[in-house]
Amino acid sequence: MFLPHHDRPSPWHSRPEKPGITYEAQQQGIAQCRAIRAPRVDNVARPDRSNPRATDAHPVLLTNANVWDGQGNVLEDVQVLLADGVVRKVEKIVKSYPKDTQIIDVKGHIVSPGLVDMHSHIGVDSWPELHATADTNEMTSPLTPFVRSIDAFNPSDRAISIVAAGGVTSVLVLPGSGNLVGGEAFAFKLRPVNTTSNEDMLVQAHIDLTKERKWRYEKHACGENPKRVYGNRVQMPSTRLGEGYLFRKVYDQAQSLMRLQDDWCAAAERTHGRLETRFPEVLELEPLVAILRGDVRLNVHCYETFDLEAFIRHSLQFNFTVSAFHHALDAYRVPDIIKRAPNNITIATFADHWGYKKEAFQASPHSPRILLDAGIPVALKSDHPVLDSSHLIFEAAKAHHYGLTEQEAFQAVTSVPARALGLDHRIGSLKVGYDADVVIWDRSPLELGAAPLQVFIDGVPLIDEPVIDAPVEQKQQKQPKAVTAASGVPLDGLESFVLTNIGHSFLAEKDISFPTGDIVVNKGKIVCSGECASALTDDLAVVDLHGGYVVPGLVAVGSALGLVEIPSEGDTADGLVAASTSQDANDIVHAVDGLRLGTRHLEEAYKGGVLSAITAPVSDNVVLGVSTAFKTGGESVLSDGTLIASDVALHVQIGNAAKSKEFPSVSSQVQFLRRVLRDNAEKDNVYGQAARGEIPTVVRANSKDAIATLLRLKQESLPSWRLVILGGVEAHLVAEHLAKANVPVILSPNLCTPGDYESIHCLTGAPLHNETAGHVLFRHGVKVGLGVTDDGLARNLLWDAGWLSATSRDQKLTQADAIKFVSSNLQEIFYTGNNLAAAQTASQNDFAIWSGNPFDMTSQLVLVHTQEKGLQLVSSSV
């Protein structure tokens, strides 16, 4: 049989061939061959470029701006012209601009590019989290390169407006890490569009492909997550051995397909006839072939040193490149292994998030500094909603605290992630020709509590008519000097000494400064402070603080410190108390019986100035058990001073977290609580003590309705009940009632999100809300404490408190008030009478010394003092 060919004058001159594909199919295949071999366009910044996304942007001129350009440069007192969705001019004085330009005097505020979060699940893990909108992982197979985040991206996710208001303008939305090969990711701008189209929200929407390269992105994962997911199903991979094999197997398949394609293209070039088969394609392998051809930026979730090395080995074997390792908390330990790759891999990591599983346990907050010093680029990301992406700038602030320069830290959330995405020609920098993604900050971006006043995406403002006042003049933090002891006396273990040259002390009940005063400590006890100190300094070592600040020991509440070390490893924990309908008080669990001291989580909390903890049992039950109070630096429950109080409070939880077969509803939970308290009110047991108010009952509850129900229970049935709310995300909505009932609230977290249905009325703070729940409760006279939501971040408790002070609009919530939220207020909430006096006595001599104001992110905690151990030098290293 002869097949005619349109390129030849007569089919009868062709040699005989087997029946082949159609002419159209062959031409389609040849077109694909040409596309494969076509030179790629380089993405370069062009001052004259246009922004195809900017169809509704009006020109804006920002005057009196101090620009951080995202590339490490600071431009003072300049003007910035935004027009057609692009930064058109950055000049000392912009002399010409369109007639309809809106002029905004930013009054000296810092203006920067929008932030770039290169690891987010926004839109595929929407707020509030519901089963209906949980689309992060397609965990039906460990190898799913063919699924795409854009197919699940919800443009109506509430998180989008919240995160954008935090200054994040572009995000890479990745599939999750449950699979080895998770699927294709897409980069979005967080600006709502009139079409409500997620395609129109893409960073690369409507670009001219002759001028810009359209990058693709893929997600892989190695280590604990895939082997846990599939190991639980007795399916490969259940080990890292299986992971390595499956990676090699699927890339071998992709490589074989790529070779078939190349052979087909070569045959198509040589022949004048028809080929027998179409251009080889396999839908499931297409993304991996694109990786092998260099058209995809590969992002790999990987933590441990040996996981990182294994994946680099895979990449070298199959000749593909990794754009970024994500999380990579062990990368600082193996920079030489990272550099075996032919390209400069970016490490997209957390600033200080750690400890939540084994592969996150060796992390160091100094990792970004170590990696940068090794020449490895570092980006900071949120893994939203693991961390709230609206506070991505706080990740940069913490990295600055732990060693990055101000501009290095800022680049880690702007130009560095943009470069890793191949989009650094248009986002991540504030320069002429870049997209008009611009943020006006209310204070220096790396200061505690920093938030945008205005955010532009493609030149379109997201916040309605913000008030821009002159920035508050910040006191310039002096370069701290090392704390020294006269005559070279060793500081470590010192029990008797006098502290001199104190910049500020928060130890007193009131906020008192001691510009020239001293604090005298004798045998571990504070014996005098202020003017009286001068008469007591004979024969005592003198410790010069050089203006350092003295802060009382902080108290961690709401955590599992002392009971759980690695949450994913049951052997490192006391265990989980099962739900039970038993009303027998003898069945109540006491946390003191399961304490494990000397752990790394306790050590890190201690190095953050958290010198004691009140920890309740970990349970799925309505009744968690009885909490215990202890010193975080203690070695054993038998050591003198370690236990502050064996039994402190009865702990209960009401809400979705306590739903079980035994308690399927919130109403059944409340009914059980009512019954056990009423029935035991006259009995000499824990329930009776709680009902009579002899010990507090700490109830974890977040929704306004659950809190209101508890207040009603107290009012109608248990007037002596010492109710304490822990959580309290929506407590601001019943603040007046809480104050009237004298019910304190321990907020946990201090900065909430509408992340679940019990928290949908959360006040996220500036710029969307003028206040947070903490501000509202404080204003109504409710006694406020702050809890710990993540054991690994307990060391940040002082910053959590300082955030509320720093963002107090009327400045009535002072720094001293904030410190009470995490120290004396908590003692007063948990103890009364003789118990309060005993608790205060046990901790009144415990304090921490900071190099400067602890709410300045450049200050460092340098010394801790406890009555039992005296002074101890603190190091934040691993």
Side-chain angles (χ1 to χ4, degrees), residues 223-239:
E224 287 187 36
N225 286 13
K227 84 187 196 84
R228 182 184 68 250
V229 169
Y230 293 97
N232 287 340
R233 303 176 187 177
V234 195
Q235 177 184 344
M236 185 179 287
S238 64
T239 65

Side-chain angles (χ1 to χ4, degrees), residues 189-210:
K189 291 278 191 86
L190 297 186
R191 176 171 72 87
V193 292
N194 294 333
T195 59
T196 318
S197 162
N198 53 27
E199 285 189 27
D200 290 341
M201 292 177 67
L202 292 172
V203 175
Q204 301 178 102
H206 316 303
I207 63 172
D208 183 345
L209 295 178
T210 66

Side-chain angles (χ1 to χ4, degrees), residues 73 285 297 340 411 438 562 628 636 661 723 786 801 875:
N73 303 304
L285 295 175
R297 298 262 175 162
R340 288 177 187 172
Q411 286 174 273
V438 174
T628 188
S636 161
K661 180 181 177 182
L723 172 64
L786 296 184
S875 169

Side-chain angles (χ1 to χ4, degrees), residues 134 138 175 208 273 305 329 369 392 445 451 454 541 546 655 766 773-774 822 831 840:
E138 179 55 51
D208 183 345
T305 59
L329 298 190
R369 177 74 275 157
L392 180 63
Q454 181 59 280
H546 296 288
V822 290
Y831 308 106
Q840 290 174 333

Side-chain angles (χ1 to χ4, degrees), residues 169-393:
T169 55
S170 298
V171 296
L172 181 65
V173 177
L174 297 149
S177 55
N179 295 343
L180 294 176
V181 180
E184 193 161 355
F186 289 79
F188 293 88
K189 291 278 191 86
L190 297 186
R191 176 171 72 87
V193 292
N194 294 333
T195 59
T196 318
S197 162
N198 53 27
E199 285 189 27
D200 290 341
M201 292 177 67
L202 292 172
V203 175
Q204 301 178 102
H206 316 303
I207 63 172
D208 183 345
L209 295 178
T210 66
K211 296 180 179 179
E212 291 188 53
R213 182 174 186 175
K214 191 170 187 176
W215 280 106
R216 295 171 61 185
Y217 309 95
E218 185 79 11
K219 169 74 175 293
H220 289 5
C222 58
E224 287 187 36
N225 286 13
K227 84 187 196 84
R228 182 184 68 250
V229 169
Y230 293 97
N232 287 340
R233 303 176 187 177
V234 195
Q235 177 184 344
M236 185 179 287
S238 64
T239 65
R240 286 178 168 86
L241 285 72
E243 289 184 0
Y245 164 71
L246 288 178
F247 274 130
R248 293 193 302 274
K249 178 181 178 181
V250 75
Y251 269 102
D252 181 67
Q253 293 170 344
Q255 193 174 68
S256 296
L257 177 59
M258 183 177 71
R259 288 169 178 162
L260 284 174
Q261 292 175 348
D262 292 343
D263 291 345
W264 192 97
C265 292
E269 285 182 351
R270 290 193 304 266
T271 185
H272 293 291
R274 306 288 177 76
L275 297 180
E276 295 182 38
T277 59
R278 289 175 176 266
F279 179 82
E281 293 182 284
V282 178
L283 178 63
E284 291 80 2
L285 295 175
E286 185 278 331
L288 300 183
V289 173
I291 290 172
L292 295 176
R293 295 196 184 281
D295 292 329
V296 177
R297 298 262 175 162
L298 180 58
N299 296 269
V300 184
H301 160 121
C302 234
Y303 283 82
E304 298 260 23
T305 59
F306 45 93
D307 287 328
L308 294 164
E309 184 173 18
F311 203 86
I312 287 177
R313 187 160 56 242
H314 302 325
S315 73
L316 294 175
Q317 178 180 352
F318 292 97
N319 194 30
F320 63 85
T321 58
V322 175
S323 178
F325 279 123
H326 288 241
H327 308 312
L329 298 190
D330 260 9
Y332 75 98
R333 300 172 61 197
V334 287
D336 290 338
I337 291 176
I338 303 296
K339 289 197 272 189
R340 288 177 187 172
N343 62 310
N344 203 5
I345 298 174
T346 297
I347 301 299
T349 190
F350 297 121
D352 67 339
H353 191 36
W354 75 284
Y356 40 91
K357 53 184 173 177
K358 162 59 181 71
E359 60 189 8
F361 198 69
Q362 303 87 233
S364 167
H366 299 285
S367 171
R369 177 74 275 157
I370 295 168
L371 290 166
L372 276 184
D373 287 345
I376 297 172
V378 174
L380 298 168
K381 46 76 184 174
S382 69
D383 195 10
H384 179 94
V386 173
L387 298 183
D388 175 6
S389 185
S390 69
H391 298 301
L392 180 63
I393 193 63

